């Protein structure tokens, strides 16, 4: 049983408990949150509360998440954009809102479920819940992912992630104006001690390095090309927020006032070696929502 603790703030006063929990437990459906409440696995100041309970602010919420059961992941006919495929691997352009692999509360509507429907064999190195998954991107981040079909390819790709030879580049829209045209954030990261669902800058954490370069400047926003040297969870989101430029639409590390459906972050470039020694390189443009947001920024004043 994994336990998570959340401290509500004055701004949460009056919010329904089930709504709040769905916001902070982003990978869980509202129906699963309801089940946790019904089973007494969510308490507010050590008391069981109904889903309709209105928060009073500055309360302590404790969530006890049951262990994932060992199960067979069910294939599901969900649309996926396959950019490339051979006998060892495939590259997909993940849509916004799709979780990469099954987890508590979502066993059926993930990229893995879709892959199992469309692909006959996937690498088994990462176990039953994450077949073929070499690396991940967040639910609301779009873009390129490589998936292993053979164990040989999985091991080779994992080694490239570990030694930082895999080429990964993102397009990110950040709040504010950057003083310089390019730079690097070199700041160690670890899981937050206050909120286990968040990451943060921590001097005792693992080394994390993010390189960025300005593509375009807009009124109030800056479009960046971001290259990962390391690959920590939420690295770009945390690093950009740490220097005062959170991603537009990042409701976890930025502001909740943005009118977007999640962070404006796209995995645009992916390069790696395949079995046999050949190097492949892929590039995909930002998706429609991102593109339309940039068009609106231009209409409101154009690039600066």
């Amino acid at each position: 049983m994994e336990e998570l603790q959340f401290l509500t703030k004055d701004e949460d006063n009056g919010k329904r408990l089930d709504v709040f929990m769905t916001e902070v437990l982003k990978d869980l459906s509202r129906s699963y949150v309801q089940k946790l409440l019904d089973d007494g696995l969510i308490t507010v100041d050590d008391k069981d509360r109904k889903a309709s309970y209105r928060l009073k602010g500055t309360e302590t919420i404790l969530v006890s998440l049951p262990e994932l059961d060992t199960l067979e992941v069910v294939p599901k006919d969900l649309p996926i954009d396959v950019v490339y495929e051979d006998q060892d691997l495939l590259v997909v352009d993940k849509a916004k809102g799709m979780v990469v692999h099954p987890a508590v509360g979502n066993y059926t509507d993930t990229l893995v479920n879709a892959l199992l429907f469309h692909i006959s064999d996937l690498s088994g190195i990462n176990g039953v819940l994450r077949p073929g998954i070499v690396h991940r991107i967040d639910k609301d981040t779009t873009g390129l992912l490589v998936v292993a079909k053979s164990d040989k390819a999985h091991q080779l790709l994992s080694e490239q992630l570990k030694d930082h030879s895999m080429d990964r580049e993102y397009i990110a829209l950040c709040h504010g104006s950057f003083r310089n045209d390019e730079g690097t954030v070199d700041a160690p990261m670890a899981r937050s001690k206050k909120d286990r669902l968040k990451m943060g800058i921590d001097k005792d954490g693992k080394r994390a390095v993010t390189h960025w370069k300005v593509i375009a400047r807009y009124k109030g926003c800056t479009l960046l090309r971001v290259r990962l040297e390391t690959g920590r969870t939420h690295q770009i989101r945390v690093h950009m927020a740490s220097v005062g430029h959170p991603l537009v639409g990042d409701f976890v590390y930025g502001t909740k006032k943005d009118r977007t459906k999640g962070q404006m972050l796209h995995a645009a470039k992916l390069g790696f070696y395949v079995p046999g020694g050949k190097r492949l390189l892929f590039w995909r443009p930002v998706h429609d929502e991102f593109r339309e947001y940039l068009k609106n920024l231009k209409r409101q004043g154009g690039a600066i």
Side-chain angles (χ1 to χ4, degrees), residues 119-176:
I119 309 298
S120 58
D121 293 307
L122 292 171
S123 160
I125 289 178
N126 265 350
V128 67
L129 292 177
R130 305 180 186 183
I133 300 303
V134 179
H135 62 128
R136 295 173 290 170
I137 55 178
D138 296 336
K139 174 184 176 182
D140 289 326
T141 299
T142 59
L144 296 171
L145 279 172
V146 59
V147 178
K149 296 169 70 175
S150 70
D151 288 353
K152 176 177 65 175
H154 200 136
Q155 290 171 342
L156 177 61
L157 292 166
S158 295
E159 288 170 2
Q160 292 172 70
L161 275 174
K162 188 175 182 179
D163 66 18
H164 313 311
S165 60
M166 184 177 288
D167 191 2
R168 290 175 294 163
E169 193 172 283
Y170 291 71
I171 302 298
L173 184 65
C174 298
H175 281 291

Side-chain angles (χ1 to χ4, degrees), residues 171 173 223 264-265 286-294:
I171 302 298
L173 184 65
L223 188 66
M264 305 300 281
L265 183 63
V286 296
H287 291 192
D288 290 344
E289 180 191 4
F290 204 143
R291 189 177 299 110
E292 287 302 314
Y293 197 94
L294 293 177

Side-chain angles (χ1 to χ4, degrees), residues 25-39:
L25 299 173
K26 291 182 178 296
D27 288 341
L28 303 188
S29 66
R30 193 163 178 173
S31 61
Y32 190 78
V33 168
Q34 177 67 64
K35 184 178 185 303
L36 292 175
L37 286 163
D38 291 342
D39 292 343

Side-chain angles (χ1 to χ4, degrees), residues 125-288:
I125 289 178
N126 265 350
V128 67
L129 292 177
R130 305 180 186 183
I133 300 303
V134 179
H135 62 128
R136 295 173 290 170
I137 55 178
D138 296 336
K139 174 184 176 182
D140 289 326
T141 299
T142 59
L144 296 171
L145 279 172
V146 59
V147 178
K149 296 169 70 175
S150 70
D151 288 353
K152 176 177 65 175
H154 200 136
Q155 290 171 342
L156 177 61
L157 292 166
S158 295
E159 288 170 2
Q160 292 172 70
L161 275 174
K162 188 175 182 179
D163 66 18
H164 313 311
S165 60
M166 184 177 288
D167 191 2
R168 290 175 294 163
E169 193 172 283
Y170 291 71
I171 302 298
L173 184 65
C174 298
H175 281 291
S177 178
F178 286 72
R179 180 178 300 178
N180 301 316
D181 290 333
E182 59 185 293
T184 296
V185 182
D186 186 344
M189 290 175 52
R191 192 160 296 279
S192 170
K193 296 179 177 64
K194 295 182 179 179
D195 184 343
R196 294 188 62 186
L197 293 181
K198 296 175 67 173
M199 303 295 290
I201 305 300
D202 187 327
K203 62 182 179 60
D204 297 319
K206 294 182 179 179
R207 185 168 186 252
V209 181
T210 303
H211 305 285
W212 57 268
K213 187 173 184 179
V214 173
I215 299 175
R217 298 176 184 272
Y218 303 93
K219 186 177 181 181
C221 297
T222 305
L223 188 66
L224 301 180
R225 179 178 290 113
V226 181
R227 182 172 64 83
L228 289 179
E229 183 173 323
T230 57
R232 309 304 175 199
T233 301
H234 299 175
Q235 180 174 316
I236 295 174
R237 298 166 63 188
V238 171
H239 271 179
M240 292 301 102
S242 75
V243 295
H245 299 288
L247 270 61
V248 172
D250 191 341
F251 306 120
V252 176
Y253 300 105
T255 175
K256 295 182 179 181
K257 297 179 180 180
D258 291 330
R259 297 180 180 179
T260 65
K261 298 177 181 178
Q263 64 272 3
M264 305 300 281
L265 183 63
H266 176 70
K269 182 180 177 183
L270 185 62
F272 50 83
Y273 290 98
V274 299
K278 183 179 180 181
R279 186 168 180 82
L280 300 180
L281 183 63
F282 302 91
W283 172 270
R284 295 288 272 193
V286 296
H287 291 192
D288 290 344

